Amino acid sequence: LFLSLTVASGRAQVQQEPFLETSQGSAISINCSHPNIRTGDFIHFFRQLPGRSPELVAITAKASKAARAPEGELRVSADRRWSALWLRRPRRGDAAVYSCALGP
């Protein structure tokens, strides 16, 4: 299973690893750094499956939130300067481009 990442940005700059790889069923964390996050910004994680439009996976302002498809959790640091989309048991069908963004 390959999970590939790209950088996406809303109003503020975000940084991600360019590529991640894991075995099917092995948990993985997709990290995103956003040191210049502003009050009022929400953290969004999207994924784009091959041949499909991007879809929202999870969104939060500051608290960790469950993600259902794929199953996992969007985790946020106390200072909101980084976040991570943790995927519990990714499957072959979860191989996609994952991106994070900040915005309203």
Side-chain angles (χ1 to χ4, degrees):
L1 170 70
F2 294 96
L3 300 178
S4 119
L5 304 175
T6 61
V7 174
S9 61
R11 290 183 297 136
Q13 183 179 3
V14 298
Q15 298 174 343
Q16 293 179 258
E17 301 97 343
F19 183 79
L20 288 176
E21 179 179 324
T22 189
S23 302
Q24 183 167 307
S26 297
I28 190 169
S29 184
I30 303 168
N31 300 313
C32 184
S33 172
H34 28 80
N36 299 320
I37 192 167
R38 300 178 194 171
T39 302
D41 277 343
F42 282 79
I43 302 161
H44 305 74
F45 265 88
F46 297 90
R47 76 172 177 177
Q48 186 169 7
L49 298 165
R52 305 208 35 206
S53 298
E55 62 181 328
L56 184 65
V57 174
I59 182 173
T60 189
K62 59 182 178 180
S64 294
K65 295 275 185 160
R68 294 193 177 133
E71 181 186 357
E73 184 178 24
L74 172 51
R75 299 172 175 173
V76 181
S77 65
D79 64 5
R80 298 188 347 122
R81 292 180 182 219
W82 66 264
S83 59
L85 180 63
W86 178 74
L87 304 180
R88 185 180 314 273
R89 288 183 296 275
R91 297 182 219 140
R92 184 175 307 275
D94 295 322
V97 175
Y98 288 79
S99 52
C100 68
L102 300 177

